[in-house]
Amino acid sequence: MGLFTPGFRRPERATDVALPPGQYLTEDFPVLSAGPTPRVPLDQWEFVITTEVGAATRWTWAELMALPAQTPTVDLHCVTRWSKLATSWRGVSLDVLFEGVDTAADWTMVHSYGGYTTNVPLEDLLDGKAWIAYEFEGDDLDPAHGGPARLLVPRLYLWKSAKWVRGITLMPADEPGFWESVGYHDYGDPWREQRYQGD
């Protein structure tokens, strides 16, 4: 990795909408990726949850599509300072995927096709806080935005919502992912402006 996709603009306009500190509102959906866009054929796609003792639970694309879906409408906040409000998605709640997963771990490492990783506390993936999303605004999720499926954790900065998600590994202790290992904040709460280590 190491390539950065251009495509985000400077602040478009001020707003009266309550935004996290340091954010500006945009109507666009900017693209910022670390590395090239993976192209994942649906017949080869899989999502795997692996526990801290190595037990793996897998879903094919067809199996994911057969699970009950939700249509959350959420605000997005990127660490590059743009926010996009009231975005509409369709996907499977992590609550559904973690049913039957036996774990005592508190931490997860999220893995993407292409090698990207990010760490997220397990509690931020459960209780209706996160989805494996595969539609955006009624259409299949574009590969530039993480299609065929991405993690969606709207309570955290968008780098935690890993594009091209392929799995989650449960961990007993926190470890940094890709951006966290180069100085981004371990947690990334936009309302506390946790952009970088020490914020």
Side-chain angles (χ1 to χ4, degrees), residues 147-199:
R150 70 179 297 163
L151 181 63
L152 183 63
V153 193
R155 64 192 284 114
L156 301 177
Y157 279 125
L158 201 53
W159 92 79
K160 296 289 186 176
S161 295
K163 298 178 179 180
W164 316 294
V165 68
R166 69 173 175 85
I168 294 173
T169 300
L170 291 148
M171 308 184 298
D174 190 19
E175 297 177 16
F178 175 76
W179 285 120
E180 297 83 10
S181 67
V182 295
Y184 277 51
H185 200 279
D186 274 334
Y187 186 60
D189 183 343
W191 294 96
R192 297 164 67 186
E193 206 168 5
Q194 294 174 332
R195 301 178 188 277
Y196 307 107
Q197 301 292 340
D199 286 344

Short mmCIF file of all heavy atoms in Angstrom, two decimals, residues 147-199:
data_model
loop_
_atom_site.label_atom_id
_atom_site.label_comp_id
_atom_site.label_asym_id
_atom_site.label_seq_id
_atom_site.Cartn_x
_atom_site.Cartn_y
_atom_site.Cartn_z
N GLY A 147 -17.16 -1.52 -2.46
CA GLY A 147 -17.92 -2.66 -2.97
C GLY A 147 -17.03 -3.83 -3.38
O GLY A 147 -15.89 -3.62 -3.74
N PRO A 148 -17.52 -5.04 -3.23
CA PRO A 148 -18.94 -5.33 -3.05
C PRO A 148 -19.48 -5.13 -1.64
O PRO A 148 -20.69 -5.02 -1.47
CB PRO A 148 -19.06 -6.80 -3.45
CG PRO A 148 -17.71 -7.38 -3.13
CD PRO A 148 -16.73 -6.28 -3.45
N ALA A 149 -18.62 -5.08 -0.62
CA ALA A 149 -19.12 -4.89 0.75
C ALA A 149 -18.05 -4.24 1.60
O ALA A 149 -16.86 -4.51 1.44
CB ALA A 149 -19.53 -6.23 1.37
N ARG A 150 -18.50 -3.38 2.49
CA ARG A 150 -17.59 -2.71 3.41
C ARG A 150 -18.17 -2.76 4.82
O ARG A 150 -19.38 -2.92 5.00
CB ARG A 150 -17.36 -1.25 3.02
CG ARG A 150 -18.57 -0.36 3.23
CD ARG A 150 -18.28 1.08 2.85
NE ARG A 150 -17.25 1.67 3.68
CZ ARG A 150 -16.59 2.80 3.35
NH1 ARG A 150 -16.86 3.41 2.21
NH2 ARG A 150 -15.67 3.29 4.14
N LEU A 151 -17.31 -2.58 5.79
CA LEU A 151 -17.77 -2.39 7.15
C LEU A 151 -18.31 -0.97 7.27
O LEU A 151 -17.78 -0.04 6.64
CB LEU A 151 -16.60 -2.60 8.12
CG LEU A 151 -16.92 -2.47 9.61
CD1 LEU A 151 -17.91 -3.53 10.06
CD2 LEU A 151 -15.64 -2.55 10.43
N LEU A 152 -19.35 -0.79 8.06
CA LEU A 152 -19.93 0.53 8.31
C LEU A 152 -20.06 0.72 9.81
O LEU A 152 -20.86 0.03 10.45
CB LEU A 152 -21.30 0.63 7.62
CG LEU A 152 -22.03 1.97 7.71
CD1 LEU A 152 -21.23 3.08 7.01
CD2 LEU A 152 -23.43 1.86 7.11
N VAL A 153 -19.22 1.60 10.37
CA VAL A 153 -19.24 1.91 11.81
C VAL A 153 -19.37 3.42 11.93
O VAL A 153 -18.39 4.14 12.15
CB VAL A 153 -17.95 1.44 12.53
CG1 VAL A 153 -18.14 1.47 14.05
CG2 VAL A 153 -17.54 0.05 12.09
N PRO A 154 -20.56 3.96 11.79
CA PRO A 154 -20.72 5.42 11.67
C PRO A 154 -20.35 6.20 12.92
O PRO A 154 -20.10 7.41 12.82
CB PRO A 154 -22.20 5.58 11.32
CG PRO A 154 -22.86 4.31 11.76
CD PRO A 154 -21.83 3.24 11.61
N ARG A 155 -20.26 5.57 14.08
CA ARG A 155 -19.92 6.29 15.30
C ARG A 155 -18.43 6.67 15.33
O ARG A 155 -18.03 7.46 16.19
CB ARG A 155 -20.29 5.47 16.53
CG ARG A 155 -19.51 4.19 16.65
CD ARG A 155 -20.07 3.25 17.71
NE ARG A 155 -19.73 3.67 19.07
CZ ARG A 155 -20.63 4.08 19.95
NH1 ARG A 155 -21.90 4.12 19.65
NH2 ARG A 155 -20.27 4.43 21.17
N LEU A 156 -17.61 6.08 14.44
CA LEU A 156 -16.17 6.36 14.41
C LEU A 156 -15.80 7.01 13.08
O LEU A 156 -16.56 6.95 12.11
CB LEU A 156 -15.39 5.06 14.60
CG LEU A 156 -15.67 4.30 15.90
CD1 LEU A 156 -14.88 3.00 15.93
CD2 LEU A 156 -15.35 5.16 17.12
N TYR A 157 -14.62 7.65 13.03
CA TYR A 157 -14.14 8.19 11.76
C TYR A 157 -14.17 7.11 10.69
O TYR A 157 -13.99 5.91 10.97
CB TYR A 157 -12.72 8.73 11.91
CG TYR A 157 -12.62 10.11 12.52
CD1 TYR A 157 -11.83 10.35 13.64
CD2 TYR A 157 -13.28 11.20 11.95
CE1 TYR A 157 -11.71 11.61 14.20
CE2 TYR A 157 -13.17 12.48 12.50
CZ TYR A 157 -12.38 12.68 13.63
OH TYR A 157 -12.27 13.93 14.17
N LEU A 158 -14.32 7.53 9.45
CA LEU A 158 -14.61 6.60 8.36
C LEU A 158 -13.48 5.62 8.07
O LEU A 158 -13.72 4.58 7.46
CB LEU A 158 -14.97 7.40 7.11
CG LEU A 158 -15.76 6.69 6.02
CD1 LEU A 158 -17.03 6.03 6.56
CD2 LEU A 158 -16.09 7.66 4.90
N TRP A 159 -12.23 5.94 8.49
CA TRP A 159 -11.16 4.96 8.22
C TRP A 159 -11.39 3.65 8.97
O TRP A 159 -10.83 2.61 8.60
CB TRP A 159 -9.78 5.56 8.50
CG TRP A 159 -9.20 5.36 9.86
CD1 TRP A 159 -8.59 4.23 10.35
CD2 TRP A 159 -9.12 6.33 10.93
NE1 TRP A 159 -8.16 4.42 11.65
CE2 TRP A 159 -8.47 5.71 12.02
CE3 TRP A 159 -9.54 7.66 11.06
CZ2 TRP A 159 -8.23 6.38 13.22
CZ3 TRP A 159 -9.30 8.33 12.25
CH2 TRP A 159 -8.65 7.69 13.31
N LYS A 160 -12.24 3.68 10.01
CA LYS A 160 -12.57 2.45 10.73
C LYS A 160 -13.60 1.60 9.98
O LYS A 160 -13.76 0.42 10.28
CB LYS A 160 -13.10 2.80 12.12
CG LYS A 160 -12.09 3.50 13.04
CD LYS A 160 -11.00 2.54 13.48
CE LYS A 160 -10.08 3.19 14.51
NZ LYS A 160 -9.07 2.24 15.02
N SER A 161 -14.33 2.20 9.04
CA SER A 161 -15.32 1.48 8.24
C SER A 161 -14.62 0.87 7.03
O SER A 161 -14.77 1.35 5.90
CB SER A 161 -16.45 2.41 7.82
OG SER A 161 -17.18 2.87 8.93
N ALA A 162 -13.88 -0.17 7.25
CA ALA A 162 -12.98 -0.72 6.23
C ALA A 162 -13.70 -1.07 4.94
O ALA A 162 -14.70 -1.79 4.94
CB ALA A 162 -12.28 -1.95 6.78
N LYS A 163 -13.18 -0.53 3.83
CA LYS A 163 -13.68 -0.92 2.51
C LYS A 163 -13.24 -2.37 2.20
O LYS A 163 -12.28 -2.87 2.75
CB LYS A 163 -13.11 0.01 1.44
CG LYS A 163 -13.50 1.46 1.58
CD LYS A 163 -12.82 2.27 0.49
CE LYS A 163 -13.17 3.73 0.54
NZ LYS A 163 -12.48 4.50 -0.54
N TRP A 164 -13.96 -2.99 1.24
CA TRP A 164 -13.62 -4.32 0.70
C TRP A 164 -13.39 -5.33 1.83
O TRP A 164 -12.47 -6.15 1.79
CB TRP A 164 -12.37 -4.23 -0.20
CG TRP A 164 -12.43 -3.06 -1.11
CD1 TRP A 164 -13.31 -2.86 -2.13
CD2 TRP A 164 -11.57 -1.91 -1.09
NE1 TRP A 164 -13.05 -1.65 -2.74
CE2 TRP A 164 -11.99 -1.05 -2.13
CE3 TRP A 164 -10.48 -1.53 -0.31
CZ2 TRP A 164 -11.36 0.18 -2.38
CZ3 TRP A 164 -9.86 -0.32 -0.55
CH2 TRP A 164 -10.30 0.51 -1.58
N VAL A 165 -14.24 -5.26 2.83
CA VAL A 165 -14.02 -6.07 4.04
C VAL A 165 -14.07 -7.56 3.70
O VAL A 165 -14.88 -8.00 2.88
CB VAL A 165 -15.07 -5.69 5.11
CG1 VAL A 165 -16.48 -6.11 4.70
CG2 VAL A 165 -14.69 -6.26 6.46
N ARG A 166 -13.18 -8.31 4.31
CA ARG A 166 -13.16 -9.77 4.10
C ARG A 166 -13.15 -10.55 5.39
O ARG A 166 -13.32 -11.77 5.38
CB ARG A 166 -11.97 -10.19 3.25
CG ARG A 166 -10.60 -10.04 3.91
CD ARG A 166 -9.51 -10.64 3.02
NE ARG A 166 -8.18 -10.41 3.56
CZ ARG A 166 -7.60 -11.18 4.48
NH1 ARG A 166 -8.26 -12.22 4.95
NH2 ARG A 166 -6.39 -10.90 4.91
N GLY A 167 -12.95 -9.88 6.54
CA GLY A 167 -12.99 -10.65 7.76
C GLY A 167 -12.67 -9.83 9.00
O GLY A 167 -12.21 -8.69 8.91
N ILE A 168 -12.96 -10.44 10.15
CA ILE A 168 -12.68 -9.85 11.45
C ILE A 168 -12.01 -10.90 12.32
O ILE A 168 -12.52 -12.03 12.41
CB ILE A 168 -13.98 -9.36 12.12
CG1 ILE A 168 -14.59 -8.19 11.34
CG2 ILE A 168 -13.73 -8.96 13.58
CD1 ILE A 168 -15.95 -7.76 11.85
N THR A 169 -10.88 -10.54 12.90
CA THR A 169 -10.20 -11.42 13.84
C THR A 169 -10.36 -10.87 15.25
O THR A 169 -10.08 -9.68 15.49
CB THR A 169 -8.71 -11.54 13.50
OG1 THR A 169 -8.56 -12.06 12.18
CG2 THR A 169 -7.99 -12.46 14.48
N LEU A 170 -10.83 -11.69 16.16
CA LEU A 170 -11.00 -11.27 17.55
C LEU A 170 -9.67 -11.37 18.28
O LEU A 170 -8.90 -12.31 18.09
CB LEU A 170 -12.06 -12.14 18.22
CG LEU A 170 -13.47 -11.85 17.67
CD1 LEU A 170 -14.32 -13.10 17.69
CD2 LEU A 170 -14.11 -10.73 18.45
N MET A 171 -9.41 -10.34 19.14
CA MET A 171 -8.12 -10.27 19.83
C MET A 171 -8.34 -9.98 21.31
O MET A 171 -9.18 -9.15 21.66
CB MET A 171 -7.26 -9.14 19.24
CG MET A 171 -7.10 -9.18 17.73
SD MET A 171 -5.97 -7.88 17.13
CE MET A 171 -6.86 -6.39 17.62
N PRO A 172 -7.56 -10.61 22.20
CA PRO A 172 -7.69 -10.33 23.63
C PRO A 172 -7.12 -8.98 24.03
O PRO A 172 -7.45 -8.44 25.09
CB PRO A 172 -6.91 -11.48 24.28
CG PRO A 172 -5.96 -11.94 23.23
CD PRO A 172 -6.64 -11.72 21.92
N ALA A 173 -6.24 -8.41 23.19
CA ALA A 173 -5.64 -7.11 23.50
C ALA A 173 -5.61 -6.26 22.23
O ALA A 173 -5.60 -6.79 21.11
CB ALA A 173 -4.22 -7.29 24.04
N ASP A 174 -5.56 -4.97 22.41
CA ASP A 174 -5.58 -4.05 21.27
C ASP A 174 -4.25 -4.10 20.52
O ASP A 174 -3.18 -4.23 21.11
CB ASP A 174 -5.83 -2.62 21.78
CG ASP A 174 -6.10 -1.66 20.64
OD1 ASP A 174 -6.45 -2.11 19.53
OD2 ASP A 174 -5.99 -0.44 20.87
N GLU A 175 -4.36 -4.02 19.20
CA GLU A 175 -3.20 -3.88 18.33
C GLU A 175 -3.54 -2.85 17.27
O GLU A 175 -4.68 -2.78 16.85
CB GLU A 175 -2.85 -5.21 17.65
CG GLU A 175 -2.44 -6.32 18.59
CD GLU A 175 -2.17 -7.62 17.83
OE1 GLU A 175 -2.01 -7.57 16.58
OE2 GLU A 175 -2.14 -8.67 18.47
N PRO A 176 -2.57 -2.07 16.81
CA PRO A 176 -2.88 -1.07 15.79
C PRO A 176 -3.06 -1.71 14.41
O PRO A 176 -2.42 -2.70 14.09
CB PRO A 176 -1.65 -0.15 15.82
CG PRO A 176 -0.54 -1.04 16.30
CD PRO A 176 -1.17 -1.99 17.27
N GLY A 177 -3.94 -1.10 13.62
CA GLY A 177 -4.10 -1.49 12.23
C GLY A 177 -3.20 -0.63 11.35
O GLY A 177 -2.19 -0.07 11.81
N PHE A 178 -3.59 -0.51 10.07
CA PHE A 178 -2.74 0.19 9.10
C PHE A 178 -2.52 1.66 9.48
O PHE A 178 -1.39 2.08 9.72
CB PHE A 178 -3.37 0.08 7.71
CG PHE A 178 -2.64 0.87 6.66
CD1 PHE A 178 -1.45 0.41 6.14
CD2 PHE A 178 -3.14 2.08 6.20
CE1 PHE A 178 -0.76 1.14 5.18
CE2 PHE A 178 -2.46 2.82 5.23
CZ PHE A 178 -1.27 2.35 4.72
N TRP A 179 -3.60 2.44 9.53
CA TRP A 179 -3.43 3.87 9.83
C TRP A 179 -2.99 4.09 11.27
O TRP A 179 -2.21 5.02 11.56
CB TRP A 179 -4.73 4.63 9.55
CG TRP A 179 -5.01 4.84 8.09
CD1 TRP A 179 -6.09 4.39 7.38
CD2 TRP A 179 -4.19 5.55 7.14
NE1 TRP A 179 -5.99 4.76 6.07
CE2 TRP A 179 -4.84 5.47 5.89
CE3 TRP A 179 -2.98 6.23 7.24
CZ2 TRP A 179 -4.32 6.07 4.74
CZ3 TRP A 179 -2.45 6.82 6.09
CH2 TRP A 179 -3.12 6.73 4.86
N GLU A 180 -3.47 3.27 12.18
CA GLU A 180 -3.12 3.45 13.59
C GLU A 180 -1.62 3.25 13.81
O GLU A 180 -1.02 3.88 14.67
CB GLU A 180 -3.91 2.48 14.46
CG GLU A 180 -5.43 2.69 14.43
CD GLU A 180 -6.09 2.02 13.23
OE1 GLU A 180 -5.41 1.25 12.53
OE2 GLU A 180 -7.29 2.28 13.00
N SER A 181 -1.00 2.38 13.01
CA SER A 181 0.43 2.13 13.19
C SER A 181 1.30 3.27 12.67
O SER A 181 2.50 3.30 12.95
CB SER A 181 0.82 0.82 12.48
OG SER A 181 0.69 0.95 11.08
N VAL A 182 0.70 4.20 11.92
CA VAL A 182 1.47 5.35 11.43
C VAL A 182 1.01 6.65 12.07
O VAL A 182 1.29 7.74 11.56
CB VAL A 182 1.42 5.46 9.90
CG1 VAL A 182 2.10 4.26 9.26
CG2 VAL A 182 -0.01 5.60 9.38
N GLY A 183 0.29 6.55 13.20
CA GLY A 183 0.02 7.74 13.98
C GLY A 183 -1.42 8.15 14.12
O GLY A 183 -1.72 9.09 14.86
N TYR A 184 -2.34 7.48 13.42
CA TYR A 184 -3.74 7.80 13.63
C TYR A 184 -4.20 7.27 14.99
O TYR A 184 -3.62 6.34 15.53
CB TYR A 184 -4.60 7.19 12.51
CG TYR A 184 -4.64 8.02 11.25
CD1 TYR A 184 -3.46 8.47 10.65
CD2 TYR A 184 -5.83 8.36 10.64
CE1 TYR A 184 -3.49 9.23 9.50
CE2 TYR A 184 -5.86 9.12 9.48
CZ TYR A 184 -4.69 9.55 8.91
OH TYR A 184 -4.73 10.29 7.77
N HIS A 185 -5.26 7.87 15.50
CA HIS A 185 -5.76 7.53 16.83
C HIS A 185 -6.23 6.07 16.87
O HIS A 185 -6.78 5.56 15.89
CB HIS A 185 -6.91 8.46 17.20
CG HIS A 185 -7.18 8.53 18.66
ND1 HIS A 185 -7.92 7.57 19.33
CD2 HIS A 185 -6.79 9.44 19.59
CE1 HIS A 185 -8.00 7.90 20.60
NE2 HIS A 185 -7.32 9.03 20.80
N ASP A 186 -6.02 5.41 17.99
CA ASP A 186 -6.45 4.01 18.11
C ASP A 186 -7.97 3.88 18.02
O ASP A 186 -8.47 2.88 17.50
CB ASP A 186 -5.97 3.42 19.43
CG ASP A 186 -4.56 2.86 19.32
OD1 ASP A 186 -4.15 2.49 18.20
OD2 ASP A 186 -3.86 2.83 20.34
N TYR A 187 -8.71 4.88 18.54
CA TYR A 187 -10.17 4.75 18.60
C TYR A 187 -10.85 5.53 17.48
O TYR A 187 -11.58 4.97 16.69
CB TYR A 187 -10.67 5.18 19.98
CG TYR A 187 -12.14 4.93 20.18
CD1 TYR A 187 -12.66 3.63 20.08
CD2 TYR A 187 -13.02 5.97 20.45
CE1 TYR A 187 -14.01 3.39 20.25
CE2 TYR A 187 -14.37 5.74 20.63
CZ TYR A 187 -14.87 4.45 20.53
OH TYR A 187 -16.21 4.21 20.70
N GLY A 188 -10.65 6.87 17.42
CA GLY A 188 -11.17 7.62 16.29
C GLY A 188 -12.60 8.11 16.45
O GLY A 188 -13.40 8.03 15.52
N ASP A 189 -12.92 8.69 17.63
CA ASP A 189 -14.25 9.26 17.87
C ASP A 189 -14.29 10.67 17.26
O ASP A 189 -13.58 11.57 17.71
CB ASP A 189 -14.51 9.33 19.37
CG ASP A 189 -15.90 9.86 19.71
OD1 ASP A 189 -16.55 10.46 18.84
OD2 ASP A 189 -16.33 9.66 20.86
N PRO A 190 -15.13 10.91 16.23
CA PRO A 190 -15.15 12.24 15.61
C PRO A 190 -15.65 13.34 16.55
O PRO A 190 -15.24 14.50 16.41
CB PRO A 190 -16.08 12.07 14.41
CG PRO A 190 -16.87 10.84 14.68
CD PRO A 190 -16.02 9.97 15.54
N TRP A 191 -16.53 13.02 17.48
CA TRP A 191 -17.07 14.04 18.39
C TRP A 191 -16.05 14.44 19.44
O TRP A 191 -16.18 15.49 20.07
CB TRP A 191 -18.36 13.53 19.03
CG TRP A 191 -19.42 13.38 17.99
CD1 TRP A 191 -19.75 12.24 17.33
CD2 TRP A 191 -20.23 14.42 17.43
NE1 TRP A 191 -20.73 12.50 16.40
CE2 TRP A 191 -21.05 13.81 16.45
CE3 TRP A 191 -20.36 15.79 17.69
CZ2 TRP A 191 -21.98 14.55 15.70
CZ3 TRP A 191 -21.28 16.52 16.95
CH2 TRP A 191 -22.07 15.91 15.98
N ARG A 192 -15.01 13.64 19.65
CA ARG A 192 -13.90 13.99 20.54
C ARG A 192 -12.67 14.38 19.73
O ARG A 192 -11.60 14.60 20.28
CB ARG A 192 -13.59 12.82 21.47
CG ARG A 192 -14.76 12.49 22.39
CD ARG A 192 -14.64 11.12 23.03
NE ARG A 192 -13.52 11.04 23.95
CZ ARG A 192 -13.14 9.91 24.55
NH1 ARG A 192 -13.80 8.79 24.28
NH2 ARG A 192 -12.14 9.91 25.37
N GLU A 193 -12.82 14.47 18.42
CA GLU A 193 -11.78 14.85 17.47
C GLU A 193 -10.50 14.05 17.69
O GLU A 193 -9.39 14.58 17.75
CB GLU A 193 -11.49 16.37 17.51
CG GLU A 193 -10.94 16.88 16.18
CD GLU A 193 -10.91 18.40 16.06
OE1 GLU A 193 -11.22 19.08 17.05
OE2 GLU A 193 -10.57 18.86 14.97
N GLN A 194 -10.67 12.74 17.77
CA GLN A 194 -9.53 11.83 17.97
C GLN A 194 -8.95 11.44 16.62
O GLN A 194 -9.18 10.35 16.12
CB GLN A 194 -9.98 10.60 18.75
CG GLN A 194 -10.40 10.90 20.18
CD GLN A 194 -10.98 9.70 20.90
OE1 GLN A 194 -11.54 8.80 20.29
NE2 GLN A 194 -10.83 9.68 22.21
N ARG A 195 -8.19 12.37 16.03
CA ARG A 195 -7.62 12.13 14.71
C ARG A 195 -6.29 11.37 14.81
O ARG A 195 -6.05 10.43 14.06
CB ARG A 195 -7.41 13.46 13.98
CG ARG A 195 -8.70 14.26 13.80
CD ARG A 195 -8.44 15.60 13.12
NE ARG A 195 -9.63 16.42 13.15
CZ ARG A 195 -10.62 16.32 12.26
NH1 ARG A 195 -10.55 15.45 11.29
NH2 ARG A 195 -11.68 17.10 12.38
N TYR A 196 -5.43 11.81 15.70
CA TYR A 196 -4.07 11.27 15.76
C TYR A 196 -3.75 10.86 17.20
O TYR A 196 -4.40 11.29 18.15
CB TYR A 196 -3.06 12.30 15.27
CG TYR A 196 -3.42 12.84 13.90
CD1 TYR A 196 -3.90 14.14 13.75
CD2 TYR A 196 -3.31 12.03 12.76
CE1 TYR A 196 -4.26 14.62 12.50
CE2 TYR A 196 -3.66 12.50 11.52
CZ TYR A 196 -4.14 13.81 11.40
OH TYR A 196 -4.50 14.27 10.16
N GLN A 197 -2.71 10.02 17.34
CA GLN A 197 -2.27 9.61 18.67
C GLN A 197 -2.02 10.85 19.53
O GLN A 197 -1.38 11.79 19.09
CB GLN A 197 -1.00 8.77 18.58
CG GLN A 197 -1.14 7.51 17.74
CD GLN A 197 -2.06 6.48 18.37
OE1 GLN A 197 -2.32 6.52 19.56
NE2 GLN A 197 -2.55 5.55 17.57
N GLY A 198 -2.55 10.85 20.74
CA GLY A 198 -2.39 11.98 21.63
C GLY A 198 -3.55 12.95 21.62
O GLY A 198 -3.64 13.80 22.52
N ASP A 199 -4.44 12.86 20.62
CA ASP A 199 -5.62 13.73 20.60
C ASP A 199 -6.58 13.35 21.71
O ASP A 199 -6.72 12.19 22.05
CB ASP A 199 -6.34 13.62 19.25
CG ASP A 199 -5.59 14.34 18.14
OD1 ASP A 199 -4.71 15.16 18.46
OD2 ASP A 199 -5.92 14.08 16.97
#
